[in-house]
């Protein structure tokens, strides 16, 4: 079974490719064709991390894990907010680009922090068995929520999240 850390890195690579594709897309239809699946994937990915990765990290990570988790939930909120804002605009308009660029900037910053912080911490502290077990749960999560079904993509209070999962 795949390691959850590798599955997360696969998603991150897909996000970088997706944002780059937006640079090549022209007109509302092409922009929508790239952004709709990319933004949905970003939203599902954050939910999956909040359901599967971060609860483990808060309990079993390094002493810095609570702070890493607090930062990550805050970043996820900013990305979610920018995606929600983009949906209030027609693709290609100034308001839409402003929201999409906000999502892109927040996401680029977040991926670097997550890969060097939370994921590095996770690799140091999780056994191979656990990484495979959480990898299976990750794939199951995506299978259970096709197209984001039954997910609401609500912002979460970072401190409350950390307290709940301690
Ligand atoms: Fe991530
Ligand atoms: Fe994340």
């Amino acid at each position: 079974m795949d390691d959850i850390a590798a599955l997360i890195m696969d998603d991150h690579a897909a996000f970088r490719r997706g944002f780059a594709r937006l640079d090549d897309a022209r007109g509302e239809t092409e922009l929508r064709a790239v952004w709709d699946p990319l933004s949905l994937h970003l939203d599902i990915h954050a939910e999956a991390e909040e359901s599967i990765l971060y609860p483990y990290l808060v309990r079993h990570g390094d002493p810095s894990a609570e702070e890493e988790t607090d930062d990550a939930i805050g970043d996820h909120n900013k990305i979610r907010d920018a995606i929600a804002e983009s949906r209030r605009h027609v693709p290609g308009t100034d308001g839409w680009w402003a929201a999409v660029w906000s999502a892109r900037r927040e996401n680029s910053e977040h991926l670097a922090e997550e890969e060097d912080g939370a994921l590095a911490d996770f690799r140091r502290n999780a056994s191979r068995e656990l990484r495979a077990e959480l990898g299976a749960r990750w794939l199951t999560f995506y299978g259970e929520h096709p197209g984001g079904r039954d997910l609401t993509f609500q912002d979460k209070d970072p401190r409350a999240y950390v307290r709940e999962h301690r």
Side-chain angles (χ1 to χ4, degrees):
M1 184 51 74
D2 284 323
D3 168 9
I4 187 175
L7 292 168
I8 287 174
M9 297 289 279
D10 284 350
D11 277 5
H12 290 184
F15 299 153
R16 291 191 178 93
R17 281 196 302 275
F19 279 110
R21 269 185 203 125
L22 280 179
D23 300 332
D24 286 322
R26 298 286 177 270
E28 184 186 338
T29 305
E30 283 186 25
L31 290 169
R32 200 185 288 284
V34 177
W35 182 240
D36 283 0
L38 171 58
S39 58
L40 179 63
H41 191 186
L42 283 161
D43 271 340
I44 297 173
H45 177 89
E47 288 293 323
E49 287 182 342
E50 288 163 5
S51 297
I52 302 166
L53 175 73
Y54 284 101
Y56 170 85
L57 205 70
V58 169
R59 257 173 261 133
H60 305 287
D62 288 343
S64 57
E66 289 199 0
E67 198 185 321
E68 285 161 0
T69 302
D70 190 293
D71 283 349
I73 305 302
D75 289 350
H76 289 178
N77 288 341
K78 288 185 209 159
I79 296 163
R80 271 190 282 260
D81 292 348
I83 290 170
E85 176 62 22
S86 77
R87 298 209 172 112
R88 290 190 268 275
H89 300 273
V90 174
T93 59
D94 289 349
W96 182 85
W97 275 114
V100 169
W101 267 103
S102 169
R104 184 170 178 166
R105 269 191 305 272
E106 294 295 346
N107 183 65
S108 294
E109 207 173 293
H110 173 62
L111 296 193
E113 274 179 19
E114 193 165 65
E115 289 174 10
D116 297 347
L119 281 177
D121 182 345
F122 175 76
R123 289 192 195 90
R124 283 193 298 271
N125 289 292
S127 66
R128 279 169 194 272
E129 291 74 21
L130 182 77
R131 286 162 68 164
E133 184 192 319
L134 297 187
R137 281 181 53 199
W138 182 270
L139 294 174
T140 303
F141 185 93
Y142 272 74
E144 284 173 348
H145 302 286
R149 195 172 72 197
D150 301 330
L151 298 175
T152 53
F153 309 131
Q154 299 292 322
D155 283 356
K156 295 168 184 66
D157 180 278
R159 289 207 182 140
Y161 178 91
V162 168
R163 262 200 317 275
E164 275 164 33
H165 293 90
R166 242 177 221 147

